[in-house]
Amino acid sequence: MSERALRGTRLGATSYETDRGIDLAPRRTVEYECPRGHRFEMPFSVEAEIPSNWECRSCGAVAQLVDGAPPEEKKNKATRTHWDMLMERRTREELEEVLAERLAVLRSGGINLHHDPRDNRKSA
């Protein structure tokens, strides 16, 4: 019997509640225009901060707020390279000392360059 009670409905797809007796939050309508000339309005809460950009409903381009201030240009951070991060941790003198130590180990034969330590196969 319970199976028949749910037959024919799409659970979660349709709301059976009504808007009667509900006071919506105060809203204001803001207009945007995209570079292709499409104009559209978006409702926002009175308390909300209005974004200066919004995706155009028609073409997906970035639309600008009509009669709004142009968006502020954000400063782009310079990309930090591996060298930059290394120089934050060590001085050039320390790096030259480490290089000299590593070269001395290589020249003394302390490291076998022809052997891959990941290669653990035994030769037959």
Side-chain angles (χ1 to χ4, degrees):
M1 184 71 176
S2 64
E3 291 178 17
R4 291 185 203 166
L6 298 177
R7 187 176 294 166
T9 62
R10 295 174 290 169
L11 294 177
T14 306
S15 174
Y16 296 108
E17 295 183 10
T18 63
D19 292 340
R20 273 185 253 135
I22 296 176
D23 292 329
L24 299 176
R27 304 205 179 266
R28 65 178 165 178
T29 304
V30 179
E31 189 174 21
Y32 289 92
E33 183 176 13
C34 83
R36 296 184 183 163
H38 302 123
R39 288 180 90 106
F40 58 95
E41 295 180 344
M42 294 297 300
F44 287 96
S45 169
V46 173
E47 301 168 356
E49 183 178 328
I50 305 299
S52 58
N53 298 339
W54 199 266
E55 184 177 327
C56 178
R57 292 177 166 181
S58 302
C59 63
V62 177
Q64 300 293 324
L65 183 63
V66 174
D67 298 330
E72 295 178 12
E73 292 293 325
K74 294 182 180 177
K75 290 184 180 179
N76 292 334
K77 284 179 115 179
T79 305
R80 288 175 52 203
T81 64
H82 178 71
W83 179 253
D84 295 331
M85 291 184 271
L86 188 62
M87 292 305 289
E88 289 175 6
R89 295 190 311 267
R90 297 190 183 224
T91 64
R92 190 170 193 98
E93 292 78 25
E94 290 174 331
L95 291 173
E96 288 176 0
E97 185 179 326
V98 170
L99 176 62
E101 290 173 6
R102 296 284 69 192
L103 287 174
V105 170
L106 278 173
R107 289 181 181 137
S108 69
I111 297 176
N112 185 357
L113 294 176
H114 300 290
H115 173 70
D116 186 359
R118 294 172 291 180
D119 188 14
N120 293 328
R121 294 178 287 182
K122 294 181 181 178
S123 55

